[in-house]
């Protein structure tokens, strides 16, 4: 993406794109063996980037930064440069798995608890039988060891999904991406838990109302501290908007 196709929200530069257009571009890059780093950024990630300059640099060096979270889309409208749509990270993951199945790509999965990723892999193998599972590893490993990166470098999968939660998943990708010759790398948060059936995604009606965050909060009240990032985020956006008017 060029600078003209970016929308800056606080410290993060988002790509002005739709899910349909993004998938076309990612398909082409994978077909050409172009190494690609995708960040699906929600308000929590943006807020982290405003506090941590090193993390901000990692995010903005990604090939694509996608608006994962209705709060980001609302913020873009507030500052007068509306993004076309929200692209949920989970939806993007599932589309890439579907495409991988059709095109017989290979994929590596990193993250989550061991029993969770085992269940997720079983489900993926059942639903996407033509997707080659190049390998997988749970999220508990020696960060200083290059063992996992070395395995990925040798196997050269087309898709590498990292479910370590932010900011660790983006940090791990950034730290190791120069090791690899090809592949699409994307942090996917808690998506393996959803695929494994450990966590239920919001019903379609909630998704259409852009209220997945509320559904998750009602199901997991312990997330309330994390959810506080959204009002804080919108407050900062309001301040930016007021300052620009002055």
């Amino acid at each position: 993406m060029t600078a003209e196709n970016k929308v800056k929200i606080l410290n993060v530069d988002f790509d002005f794109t739709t899910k349909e257009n993004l998938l076309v571009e990612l398909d082409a890059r994978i077909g050409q063996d172009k190494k690609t780093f995708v960040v699906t950024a929600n308000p929590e990630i943006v807020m982290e980037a405003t506090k941590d300059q090193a993390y901000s640099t990692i995010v903005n060096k990604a090939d694509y930064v996608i608006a994962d979270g209705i709060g980001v889309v609302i913020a873009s409208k507030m500052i007068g440069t509306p993004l076309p749509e929200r692209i949920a990270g989970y939806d993007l993951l599932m589309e890439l798995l579907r495409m991988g199945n059709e095109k017989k790509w290979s994929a590596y999965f990193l993250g989550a608890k061991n029993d969770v990723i085992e269940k997720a892999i079983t489900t993926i193998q059942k639903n996407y039988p033509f997707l080659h599972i190049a390998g997988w590893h749970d999220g508990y490993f020696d960060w200083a060891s290059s063992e996992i990166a070395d395995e990925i470098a040798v196997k050269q999968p087309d898709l590498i999904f990292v479910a370590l939660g932010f900011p660790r998943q983006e940090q791990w990708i950034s730290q190791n991406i120069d090791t690899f010759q090809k592949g699409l790398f994307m942090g996917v948060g808690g998506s393996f838990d959803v695929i494994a059936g450990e966590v239920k995604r919001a019903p379609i009606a909630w998704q259409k109302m852009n209220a997945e965050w509320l559904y998750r909060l009602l199901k997991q009240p312990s997330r309330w501290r994390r959810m506080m990032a959204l009002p804080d985020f919108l407050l900062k956006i309001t301040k930016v908007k007021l300052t620009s008017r002055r």
Side-chain angles (χ1 to χ4, degrees), residues 5-163:
N5 293 321
K6 297 282 188 176
V7 174
K8 191 174 190 65
I9 299 177
L10 298 181
N11 279 21
V12 175
D13 295 321
F14 284 86
D15 289 284
F16 187 94
T17 188
T18 62
K19 183 172 72 172
E20 182 180 359
N21 290 339
L22 174 65
L23 287 169
V24 170
E25 292 189 27
L26 296 181
D27 183 14
R29 291 180 69 95
I30 293 169
Q32 297 165 15
D33 287 340
K34 285 187 177 179
K35 194 160 47 178
T36 306
F37 181 13
V38 179
V39 174
T40 60
N42 58 17
E44 288 180 279
I45 285 179
V46 177
M47 292 301 292
E48 183 70 20
T50 63
K51 296 182 290 183
D52 185 339
Q53 183 57 50
Y55 184 61
S56 175
T57 300
I58 289 172
V59 170
N60 287 319
K61 279 187 176 180
D63 297 286
Y64 295 88
V65 182
I66 308 306
D68 178 7
I70 191 59
V72 173
V73 176
I74 292 172
S76 71
K77 293 176 180 179
M78 290 173 64
I79 62 177
T81 51
L83 290 163
E85 65 182 22
R86 175 200 176 202
I87 304 175
Y90 181 81
D91 291 340
L92 184 57
L93 164 62
M94 301 311 289
E95 286 288 350
L96 288 168
L97 292 176
R98 178 189 61 78
M99 289 168 58
N101 188 62
E102 290 179 357
K103 298 173 182 289
K104 298 182 179 179
W105 290 340
S106 59
Y108 192 99
F109 302 83
L110 173 62
K113 295 178 180 178
N114 189 71
D115 61 324
V116 170
I117 194 169
E118 284 185 347
K119 290 179 183 177
I121 293 297
T122 298
T123 299
I124 290 166
Q125 288 175 324
K126 178 182 177 181
N127 294 338
Y128 307 97
F130 300 112
L131 176 74
H132 174 64
I133 306 297
W136 57 270
H137 197 287
D138 62 43
Y140 300 87
F141 57 90
D142 180 2
W143 191 276
S145 171
S146 65
E147 183 179 352
I148 294 171
D150 291 343
E151 180 187 1
I152 293 171
V154 169
K155 293 183 175 179
Q156 298 191 45
D158 300 295
L159 304 167
I160 302 90
F161 299 113
V162 183

